[in-house]
Amino acid sequence: MTAEVLIELIDVQKTYGNGENEVHALRGASLQVRAGELIAIMGASGSGKSTLLTIAGGLEVPTSGDVRINDHSLPTLRQKELARLRRQTIGYVFQDFNLIPSLTVVENVALPLELDGMNARNARRAATDSLESMGISDLAKRFPDEISGGQRQRVAIARSFVGPRRVLLADEPTGALDSKTSESVIRAMRKRIDGGLAGILVTHDAKLAAWADRILVIRDGQIVDELKTELRPEQFGAN
Amino acid sequence: MSRFNESVIAIKIAQRSVKRNKLQSFLIIAIIAVPVFLVSALLTLDASTKSTVSEQLKYELGDAVAKYEVQYSPNKNLAQNPDLLQLQEIIPDGTATRGELVDIHQVLPKTNLVAVTKTDAIFKTASGIGPISVFLGESWNPAFLNKGPVTLIEGSVPEGSNEVLVTPSALKRFGVQLGETISTESGLEFKVVGTMRDYSTSTSADIVFAMDKSIPNVSGSSSFYYQLSGDSPSWKEVVKLNQQGIAVLSRSVLLNPPVTEEQLLEENSGGASLFAIFSVLLFLVPLGLLPVVVLAGSAFAFGARRQTRTLAVMASLGASRNTLQNVTVTSGIWLGLLGGLSGVVLGVLLVAFFGPSLVTRSFAVQPTWNQYPGFHIPWMFLIILVIASGVLGAVSSYLPARKASRVNILATLRGQRSEGQVRARTGVGALVLLLAGLAVVIFSSMLFTYALNMPKEAVSAYERADGLKRLAVYGQLAGGIITVIGFMVGRGWILRGIRAVISRFGKQFNFAGRDLLFNRSRYAPVLSSVLVVYFVGAMILSVSHGPMQKQAIENAKQQTMLPGQYNYMFPLNNDGAEPTPEKYLASIPSLQTAEYRKNMITQTGAFTNAAVITATPDFYYGAASRDSAGNFLESFNFTMPHVIFNPETVCYSQAISSHHEAFMKEHADVKDWENYINYPPGCANIIEMNRTIVVADVKTLQTISNRVDPNAEQTLTAGGVVVFSRVFDFNGTAKIRWTKESEYSMENNFDSSNASKAVDLKSYVVPGMVSESLRYMAIISPETAAKLDIQAYPVAVLANTEAPISTEVTDELMGKGIWFERFTADDPNALAWLVTWVAGIFVLLATSIALGLSQIEAATDKRTLAAIGAPKSFRSRMVATQAFALTFTGAALGGGVGIAVGLTLVTSASISDLVLPWPQVVTLLLGVPMLAAFIFWVFTPKNLKYEVRQALD
């Protein structure tokens, strides 16, 4: 049985500015990601890969085309519905972590659940589980500025996993990390994807992209190539 | 997301933000805390100046069970409040008199009473002679001594009638030590055996405590009778004693006050009606709140911007706009509550430690020792104040929260500016507001002038005029506020102007200007805050300073010296004697005596100038004596020249009084009020009131009014009458009436019908006259007096001084035979500087907080500058320039509008001459910006560590 499509971009275009300053960031990008599937998007700087991700995450609105997340067409959603989708369905991992400095690690991870109305105790429990899955539950009570960059990114990933998320979007999640930490981070992400999530990973790093099921190459706002990865690094003994 | 969850998250983030951004949070909290501190200190001080029952028992009674004072002749209309030794008329119709008083010993034959009589006696002092208060009787009775009413400071209590106690200040005035002797002018000698303090008197009062009857023939005294044993009177007994003219403070009544229904008087409201208090609050509270809201709004705008990244992260995680807005507002409430709580705690602590000093040394003009009976915390008001601070936090953070909730998530997370931040505003809205504000101020001023000068022939006209004046005042205020809002809206253009000006002065100035313009959102709130604070401050200073300073100067400068003719006010009201013109005229002193005394006064060098006051005799009014029952005696018909009151004005002033309203409720039947001529329900039967006329040349007019007023002088020389109150004004004329002496004689059987004269003279009202001048309300020239055959006689010498005169000088003058009536007043200049210092400190605090917040936000830029090699001098000059430019511009614009509105209010209302406190204005306009610049220049850090801009927040 074919897994359901959780992320679908249909002929998405995104244009910034107008007249002489007009920049076409995306020119008719289309893709599908099914449950349990992770795709990697690679391309040069300015090719449109981050724009694609932010549009998929509902952080930006496409100029034309449709974006469907878990059967919801994002361009038709109102602000409130879009916000609900972001806190219930989409987990987003930023390159620079974007943790809230005044909250502890566990509070940061629990925040999406609390925002969704879950009581603090349950949210905290779920957050602790998520931190455990990332192997950093011992950092729960620390503040973000008391932990290292790699640990911050793992907290950010733990936050994107927490709760009943179905979609995981990661923008250069290991950009600021060393190779060893990078691997532990992507391994954790992969594990969650295998659990039934759909994910998009934007990266420059081919080694990291190898962890995806498919690699899409984007150039000048268009998806120009698609590669299928037969073996994942863990399967060929990468460490 | 539930509101509860939102609140929990918001409070959590706010709490943590306070911890993480200590300086910024401190500044935001301080903005709320400063005004709350002032208000809570005042409320606590006010509560601490009101006695509790136990304190009242302690200070009023000591160990006595009751205190009595015979205040009026018996009258069934008299009653008192249970806790106030003061009789009042149940229906205030003026029938209560001090005619024939009862003998308290006959009323209370079985009660053992200790009497203490308060009077005055002339004593020889260190510098001359002077009137000193004397308490005759056993003030030091063991029931009072060190029990509350009096405290022995040093020495011992008198053991004989030739021994006395004095207050410490009296000891100084006598220039003696304990054990030495003081004497009265008449030669009685007393040994000073100790010093004592009486809690009911002024802290600086000069008092001699002596045994009963040790000074004979005292007059003008009042006696208190203390019951030391037995049962204190019940409320029923107090009510009966009241009708005998006796006021009572009873221990049992104080401990068990009667229920409201049993009380015959309304509760003492402290002299001001609730309506009056409400009106003042209605005017002052929004004015006071305006700078607080704008300052707090600016602070929360900084706070919200500081939180923008946090909000963007929350938005990326799915927080709705409402949630983001609520988070920011809840943070505002939290910080507001913290600010409120801090302010309240500091205010209460201030009073706890310095309350007595504040009351007895600072605020009250005539403080008494019992004005601070004990430290009391007004819990309810303070709780309301803390809650109000939370509400203020919510209100002030609403707009910043709304703006922050519309955050561009991606732009913020990438550290980009949103389009709105970069886009320049148009100046059209600002221009429209500026013009509208100006128009409203001008129109309101014209309306006020119209209302002031509109014909008033009936009570309704006064009411209409007062309504228009009120409208005009609010209009002027609103016009000023609109203008200031215009400046606030156009602050982008103002910053552009600042940049254009300061860029010319050099590289770092150019950089400072560019920074101001580019980071408009950072610096605009500073400008707005300074604008509003200066607007309100300058307006209050210019409105209050003119009349306040004028009044203080008048009070301090003018001293009336009656040249020893104490009985010139003939006949006395209470002796029932029929006056005769001969007797009256015989009592008037000679001109030579007055001139001689004037010369003596001017030779002392203590006075700027002096003049002999020559006035028409004043007994028409005095002759309207009453008998002991309060009925009017037949008035003496010889009418001395006088100027009459406009009955419509009098009627209006009575009609708006609360007494009149109370009277009307009691006397619905028209027949009933015919006996109460002071308070008729209409104007038809109002009693004619009048004042004597002063005859003076231009120079004397200048001395009396203590000013040069060409209009007044022109009116005087042109044969008109100068009046110091509009109560004499009949639409540009004053009415003078008199009986011509030559036509009023025994031969004519003292028939006044032919001798009565009346004339209407062109009048000019000298505005804003206060103080002594008001005794001499209507002035005509000697030529006019001669033309009308009006006789005037020297009655007093009036002298002007530059400052209040010490008792040393008055004692010296009295030693030379010059009787002195002196006013106590604060030094006007000291008062004006005190106001300026307080205003300056508040303004400096407000601007420093706003600037401090902007500098915290600019810290990353400063670090970047330091990292690329900008020396400390470059950075400090840049910051100081920005501080000066912002504060000075805000001060000039806000202060300018405030002064303009203030002066418009003063001049259109003709309250006073234009008195702009230039030294204070210049200090506030230049001194505060310079000080602000200096502070920021000094506190620019020498070494700044570079930090990566992206960091966590």
Side-chain angles (χ1 to χ4, degrees), chain A residues 54 59-60 79-80 83 86-87 94 96 98-104 107 111-112 114-115 117-118 124 143-145 152 159, chain B residues 1-2 5 8-9 12-13 16-17 20 309-310 313-323 409-410 413-414 950 952-953:
Chain A
T54 54
L59 297 174
E60 272 194 289
Q79 278 290 336
K80 267 189 177 177
R86 278 205 294 268
R87 63 178 182 261
F94 299 93
D96 48 1
N98 282 330
L99 299 177
I100 294 176
S102 55
L103 299 181
T104 60
E107 286 168 344
L111 187 59
E114 287 193 61
L115 285 172
M118 187 183 283
R124 200 71 63 91
F143 284 94
D145 55 1
R152 285 178 201 169
R159 182 176 65 187
Chain B
M1 182 182 178
S2 71
N5 267 31
V8 170
I9 294 170
K12 196 191 301 171
I13 290 175
R16 303 283 170 75
S17 295
R20 283 182 62 82
R309 197 175 172 87
T310 296
V313 173
M314 288 179 69
S316 75
L317 295 176
S320 67
R321 280 183 175 177
N322 268 349
T323 305
I409 304 171
L410 272 182
L413 293 180
R414 286 172 185 162
Q950 195 166 273
L952 284 161
D953 48 7

Coordinates of all heavy atoms in Angstrom, one line a residue, chain A residues 54 59-60 79-80 83 86-87 94 96 98-104 107 111-112 114-115 117-118 124 143-145 152 159, chain B residues 1-2 5 8-9 12-13 16-17 20 309-310 313-323 409-410 413-414 950 952-953:
Chain A
T54 N 10.4 27.5 3.3 CA 9.5 28.4 4.0 C 8.1 28.4 3.5 O 7.2 28.6 4.3 CB 10.1 29.9 4.0 OG1 10.3 30.3 2.7 CG2 11.4 29.9 4.8
L59 N 5.4 29.7 6.2 CA 6.0 31.0 6.7 C 6.0 32.1 5.6 O 6.1 33.2 5.9 CB 7.4 30.8 7.2 CG 7.6 29.8 8.4 CD1 9.0 29.6 8.7 CD2 6.9 30.4 9.6
E60 N 5.8 31.6 4.4 CA 5.7 32.5 3.2 C 4.6 32.1 2.3 O 4.3 30.9 2.3 CB 7.0 32.6 2.4 CG 8.0 33.7 3.0 CD 9.1 34.0 2.0 OE1 9.9 33.1 1.9 OE2 9.1 35.0 1.5
Q79 N -5.1 33.2 8.7 CA -3.9 33.3 9.6 C -4.1 32.3 10.8 O -3.1 31.6 11.1 CB -3.8 34.7 10.2 CG -3.1 35.7 9.3 CD -1.6 35.4 9.2 OE1 -1.0 34.8 10.0 NE2 -1.0 35.9 8.1
K80 N -5.3 32.2 11.4 CA -5.5 31.4 12.5 C -5.3 29.9 12.2 O -4.6 29.2 12.9 CB -6.9 31.6 13.1 CG -7.0 32.6 14.1 CD -8.4 32.6 14.7 CE -8.5 33.6 15.9 NZ -9.9 33.6 16.4
A83 N -1.7 29.2 11.6 CA -1.0 29.1 12.9 C -1.2 27.7 13.5 O -0.3 27.1 14.1 CB -1.4 30.2 13.8
R86 N 0.8 25.1 11.9 CA 2.2 25.2 12.3 C 2.5 24.5 13.6 O 3.5 23.9 13.9 CB 2.7 26.6 12.3 CG 3.0 27.1 10.9 CD 4.0 28.3 11.0 NE 3.5 29.4 11.6 CZ 2.9 30.4 11.0 NH1 2.8 30.4 9.7 NH2 2.4 31.5 11.6
R87 N 1.5 24.7 14.6 CA 1.8 24.2 15.9 C 1.4 22.7 16.0 O 1.8 22.0 16.9 CB 1.2 25.0 17.0 CG -0.3 25.2 17.0 CD -0.7 26.0 18.2 NE -2.2 26.1 18.3 CZ -2.9 27.1 17.8 NH1 -2.3 28.1 17.3 NH2 -4.2 27.1 17.8
F94 N 15.3 25.4 12.3 CA 16.0 26.5 11.7 C 17.5 26.3 11.8 O 18.0 25.6 12.7 CB 15.7 27.9 12.4 CG 14.2 28.2 12.3 CD1 13.4 27.8 13.3 CD2 13.7 28.9 11.2 CE1 12.0 28.2 13.2 CE2 12.4 29.3 11.2 CZ 11.5 28.9 12.2
D96 N 19.7 28.6 12.6 CA 20.3 29.2 13.8 C 19.4 28.9 15.0 O 19.2 29.8 15.8 CB 20.5 30.7 13.6 CG 19.4 31.4 12.9 OD1 18.3 30.7 12.7 OD2 19.4 32.6 12.7
N98 N 16.9 29.3 16.7 CA 15.7 30.0 17.1 C 15.1 29.5 18.4 O 13.9 29.2 18.4 CB 14.7 30.1 16.0 CG 15.1 31.2 15.0 OD1 15.8 32.2 15.4 ND2 14.8 31.0 13.7
L99 N 15.9 29.3 19.4 CA 15.3 29.0 20.7 C 15.0 30.3 21.4 O 15.6 31.3 21.2 CB 16.3 28.1 21.5 CG 16.7 26.8 20.9 CD1 17.8 26.1 21.8 CD2 15.5 25.9 20.7
I100 N 14.0 30.2 22.4 CA 13.7 31.4 23.1 C 14.6 31.4 24.4 O 14.6 30.5 25.2 CB 12.2 31.3 23.5 CG1 11.4 31.5 22.3 CG2 11.9 32.5 24.5 CD1 9.9 31.4 22.4
P101 N 15.4 32.5 24.4 CA 16.5 32.5 25.4 C 16.0 32.5 26.9 O 16.7 32.1 27.8 CB 17.3 33.8 25.1 CG 16.3 34.6 24.3 CD 15.4 33.7 23.6
S102 N 14.8 33.0 27.1 CA 14.3 33.2 28.5 C 13.6 31.9 29.0 O 13.2 31.8 30.1 CB 13.3 34.3 28.6 OG 12.3 34.2 27.6
L103 N 13.5 30.9 28.1 CA 12.9 29.6 28.5 C 14.0 28.5 28.6 O 14.9 28.6 27.9 CB 11.8 29.2 27.5 CG 10.6 30.1 27.3 CD1 9.6 29.5 26.3 CD2 9.9 30.4 28.7
T104 N 13.8 27.6 29.6 CA 14.7 26.5 29.7 C 14.6 25.6 28.5 O 13.6 25.7 27.7 CB 14.5 25.7 30.9 OG1 13.2 25.2 30.9 CG2 14.6 26.5 32.2
E107 N 11.3 23.8 28.5 CA 10.2 24.8 28.3 C 10.1 25.1 26.8 O 9.1 25.3 26.2 CB 10.4 26.0 29.1 CG 10.0 25.8 30.6 CD 10.5 26.9 31.5 OE1 11.3 27.7 31.1 OE2 10.0 26.9 32.7
L111 N 6.9 24.3 24.4 CA 6.2 25.5 24.0 C 5.1 25.2 23.0 O 3.9 25.7 23.1 CB 7.1 26.6 23.6 CG 6.5 27.9 23.3 CD1 5.8 28.5 24.5 CD2 7.6 28.9 22.8
P112 N 5.4 24.5 21.9 CA 4.3 24.3 20.8 C 3.1 23.6 21.4 O 2.0 23.9 21.0 CB 5.0 23.4 19.8 CG 6.5 23.6 20.0 CD 6.7 23.9 21.4
E114 N 2.1 23.7 24.6 CA 1.4 24.6 25.5 C 0.7 25.6 24.7 O -0.4 26.0 25.0 CB 2.4 25.3 26.4 CG 2.9 24.4 27.5 CD 3.7 25.1 28.6 OE1 3.0 26.0 29.2 OE2 4.9 24.9 28.8
L115 N 1.3 26.1 23.6 CA 0.6 27.0 22.7 C -0.7 26.4 22.2 O -1.7 27.1 21.9 CB 1.5 27.4 21.6 CG 2.6 28.4 21.9 CD1 3.5 28.6 20.7 CD2 2.1 29.8 22.3
G117 N -2.6 24.5 23.8 CA -3.6 24.3 24.8 C -3.4 23.1 25.8 O -4.1 22.9 26.7
M118 N -2.3 22.4 25.5 CA -2.0 21.3 26.5 C -1.6 21.8 27.8 O -0.9 22.9 27.8 CB -0.9 20.4 25.9 CG -0.7 19.1 26.7 SD 0.7 18.1 26.0 CE -0.1 17.4 24.6
R124 N 5.3 19.2 29.4 CA 6.6 19.0 29.9 C 7.0 17.6 29.8 O 8.1 17.2 29.4 CB 6.6 19.5 31.4 CG 7.9 19.8 32.0 CD 8.5 21.1 31.4 NE 7.6 22.2 31.8 CZ 7.7 23.0 32.9 NH1 8.7 22.7 33.7 NH2 6.9 24.0 33.1
F143 N 19.3 26.8 30.4 CA 18.9 27.8 29.4 C 19.7 27.7 28.1 O 20.9 27.2 28.2 CB 19.0 29.2 30.0 CG 18.0 29.5 31.0 CD1 18.2 29.3 32.4 CD2 16.7 30.0 30.6 CE1 17.2 29.6 33.3 CE2 15.7 30.3 31.5 CZ 15.9 30.1 32.9
P144 N 19.2 28.1 27.0 CA 19.9 27.9 25.7 C 21.3 28.5 25.7 O 22.2 28.0 25.1 CB 19.0 28.7 24.7 CG 17.6 28.6 25.3 CD 17.8 28.6 26.8
D145 N 21.5 29.6 26.4 CA 22.8 30.2 26.4 C 23.8 29.5 27.3 O 25.0 29.9 27.4 CB 22.8 31.7 26.7 CG 22.2 32.0 28.0 OD1 21.7 31.1 28.7 OD2 22.1 33.2 28.3
R152 N 22.1 23.0 21.2 CA 21.0 23.8 20.9 C 20.2 23.3 19.7 O 19.0 23.3 19.6 CB 21.5 25.3 20.5 CG 21.9 26.0 21.7 CD 22.4 27.4 21.3 NE 23.2 28.0 22.4 CZ 24.0 29.0 22.2 NH1 24.0 29.7 21.1 NH2 24.7 29.5 23.2
R159 N 12.2 20.0 19.6 CA 11.0 20.8 19.6 C 10.2 20.5 18.3 O 9.0 20.5 18.4 CB 11.4 22.3 19.6 CG 10.2 23.2 19.7 CD 10.7 24.6 19.8 NE 11.4 25.1 18.6 CZ 12.1 26.3 18.5 NH1 12.0 27.1 19.6 NH2 12.7 26.6 17.5
Chain B
M1 N -5.8 27.9 21.7 CA -5.1 28.0 22.9 C -5.9 28.8 24.0 O -6.5 29.8 23.7 CB -3.8 28.8 22.6 CG -2.9 28.9 23.8 SD -1.5 29.9 23.4 CE -0.7 30.0 24.9
S2 N -5.9 28.2 25.2 CA -6.8 28.9 26.2 C -6.1 30.1 26.7 O -4.9 30.3 26.7 CB -7.0 27.9 27.3 OG -5.8 27.7 28.1
N5 N -3.6 29.3 29.4 CA -2.2 28.9 28.9 C -1.4 30.1 28.4 O -0.2 30.2 28.6 CB -2.4 27.9 27.7 CG -2.4 26.5 28.2 OD1 -2.8 26.3 29.4 ND2 -1.8 25.6 27.5
V8 N -0.1 32.0 31.3 CA 1.0 31.2 32.0 C 2.3 31.4 31.2 O 3.3 31.8 31.7 CB 0.6 29.7 32.1 CG1 1.9 28.9 32.6 CG2 -0.5 29.6 33.1
I9 N 2.2 31.2 29.8 CA 3.4 31.4 29.0 C 3.9 32.8 29.1 O 5.1 33.1 29.2 CB 3.1 31.0 27.6 CG1 2.8 29.5 27.5 CG2 4.2 31.3 26.6 CD1 2.2 29.0 26.2
K12 N 5.5 33.6 32.3 CA 6.8 32.9 32.4 C 7.8 33.7 31.6 O 8.9 34.0 32.1 CB 6.6 31.5 31.8 CG 7.8 30.6 32.2 CD 7.7 29.3 31.4 CE 6.4 28.5 31.6 NZ 6.3 27.4 30.7
I13 N 7.5 34.1 30.3 CA 8.4 34.8 29.5 C 8.8 36.1 30.1 O 9.9 36.6 30.1 CB 7.9 34.9 28.0 CG1 7.9 33.5 27.4 CG2 8.7 35.9 27.2 CD1 7.3 33.5 26.0
R16 N 11.1 35.7 33.1 CA 12.5 35.4 32.6 C 13.1 36.6 32.0 O 14.3 36.8 32.1 CB 12.4 34.2 31.7 CG 11.8 33.0 32.2 CD 12.7 32.2 33.2 NE 12.0 31.2 33.9 CZ 11.7 30.0 33.4 NH1 12.0 29.7 32.1 NH2 11.0 29.1 34.1
S17 N 12.3 37.3 31.2 CA 12.9 38.5 30.5 C 13.4 39.5 31.6 O 14.5 40.1 31.4 CB 11.8 39.2 29.7 OG 11.5 38.4 28.6
R20 N 16.7 38.1 32.7 CA 17.8 38.2 31.7 C 18.2 39.6 31.4 O 19.3 39.9 31.2 CB 17.3 37.5 30.4 CG 17.3 36.0 30.5 CD 16.9 35.4 29.2 NE 17.8 35.8 28.1 CZ 18.9 35.2 27.8 NH1 19.3 34.2 28.5 NH2 19.7 35.6 26.8
R309 N 12.1 38.9 18.4 CA 12.6 37.6 17.9 C 11.9 36.5 18.6 O 11.6 35.5 18.0 CB 14.2 37.5 18.1 CG 14.8 36.4 17.3 CD 16.3 36.5 17.5 NE 16.9 35.3 16.8 CZ 17.2 35.3 15.6 NH1 17.1 36.3 14.8 NH2 17.8 34.2 15.0
T310 N 11.7 36.6 19.9 CA 11.0 35.6 20.7 C 9.6 35.4 20.1 O 9.1 34.3 19.9 CB 10.9 36.0 22.1 OG1 12.2 36.1 22.7 CG2 10.1 35.0 22.9
V313 N 9.8 33.6 16.8 CA 9.9 32.1 17.0 C 8.6 31.5 17.4 O 8.2 30.5 16.9 CB 11.0 31.9 18.1 CG1 11.1 30.4 18.4 CG2 12.4 32.4 17.7
M314 N 7.9 32.2 18.3 CA 6.6 31.6 18.7 C 5.7 31.6 17.6 O 4.9 30.6 17.4 CB 6.0 32.5 19.9 CG 6.8 32.3 21.2 SD 6.1 33.4 22.5 CE 4.5 32.6 22.7
A315 N 5.7 32.6 16.7 CA 4.8 32.6 15.5 C 5.2 31.4 14.6 O 4.3 30.8 14.1 CB 4.9 33.9 14.8
S316 N 6.5 31.2 14.5 CA 6.9 30.1 13.6 C 6.5 28.7 14.2 O 6.4 27.8 13.5 CB 8.4 30.1 13.4 OG 9.1 29.7 14.6
L317 N 6.3 28.7 15.5 CA 5.9 27.5 16.1 C 4.3 27.3 16.2 O 3.8 26.4 16.7 CB 6.4 27.4 17.6 CG 7.9 27.3 17.7 CD1 8.3 27.4 19.2 CD2 8.4 26.0 17.1
G318 N 3.7 28.3 15.6 CA 2.2 28.2 15.5 C 1.4 29.1 16.5 O 0.2 28.9 16.6
A319 N 2.1 30.1 17.1 CA 1.3 31.0 18.0 C 0.5 32.0 17.1 O 1.0 32.5 16.1 CB 2.3 31.7 18.9
S320 N -0.8 32.2 17.4 CA -1.6 33.1 16.6 C -1.2 34.5 17.0 O -0.6 34.8 18.0 CB -3.0 32.8 16.9 OG -3.3 33.2 18.2
R321 N -1.8 35.5 16.2 CA -1.5 36.9 16.4 C -2.1 37.3 17.8 O -1.5 38.0 18.6 CB -2.2 37.7 15.4 CG -1.4 37.8 14.1 CD -2.0 38.7 13.1 NE -1.2 38.8 11.9 CZ -1.5 39.5 10.9 NH1 -2.6 40.1 10.8 NH2 -0.6 39.6 9.9
N322 N -3.3 36.7 18.1 CA -3.9 37.0 19.4 C -3.0 36.6 20.5 O -2.8 37.3 21.5 CB -5.2 36.3 19.5 CG -6.3 37.2 19.1 OD1 -6.1 38.4 18.8 ND2 -7.5 36.6 18.9
T323 N -2.4 35.4 20.3 CA -1.5 34.8 21.4 C -0.3 35.8 21.6 O 0.0 36.1 22.7 CB -1.0 33.4 21.0 OG1 -2.2 32.6 20.8 CG2 -0.2 32.8 22.1
I409 N 7.6 37.1 10.3 CA 8.4 36.1 10.9 C 9.8 35.9 10.3 O 10.8 35.9 11.0 CB 7.6 34.7 10.9 CG1 6.2 34.9 11.5 CG2 8.4 33.6 11.6 CD1 5.3 33.7 11.3
L410 N 9.7 35.7 9.0 CA 11.0 35.4 8.3 C 12.0 36.5 8.4 O 13.2 36.3 8.8 CB 10.7 35.1 6.9 CG 10.4 33.6 6.6 CD1 10.2 33.4 5.1 CD2 11.6 32.7 7.1
L413 N 13.4 36.7 11.9 CA 14.3 35.6 12.2 C 15.6 35.7 11.4 O 16.7 35.3 11.9 CB 13.7 34.2 11.9 CG 12.5 33.8 12.8 CD1 11.9 32.5 12.3 CD2 12.9 33.8 14.2
R414 N 15.5 36.4 10.3 CA 16.8 36.6 9.5 C 17.5 37.9 9.9 O 18.5 38.2 9.4 CB 16.4 36.7 8.0 CG 16.1 35.3 7.4 CD 15.6 35.6 6.0 NE 15.1 34.3 5.4 CZ 14.3 34.2 4.3 NH1 13.9 35.3 3.8 NH2 14.0 33.1 3.9
Q950 N 24.0 37.8 15.9 CA 22.9 36.8 15.7 C 22.4 36.2 17.1 O 21.3 36.0 17.3 CB 23.3 35.7 14.8 CG 22.1 34.8 14.3 CD 22.6 34.0 13.2 OE1 22.6 34.4 12.1 NE2 23.0 32.8 13.5
L952 N 21.2 34.9 20.7 CA 20.0 34.1 21.0 C 18.7 35.0 20.8 O 17.7 34.5 20.6 CB 20.0 33.5 22.4 CG 20.9 32.3 22.5 CD1 21.3 32.0 23.9 CD2 20.2 31.1 21.9
D953 N 18.9 36.3 21.1 CA 17.7 37.1 21.0 C 17.8 38.1 19.9 O 17.3 39.1 19.9 CB 17.4 37.7 22.3 CG 18.6 38.4 22.9 OD1 19.7 38.4 22.2 OD2 18.6 38.8 24.0

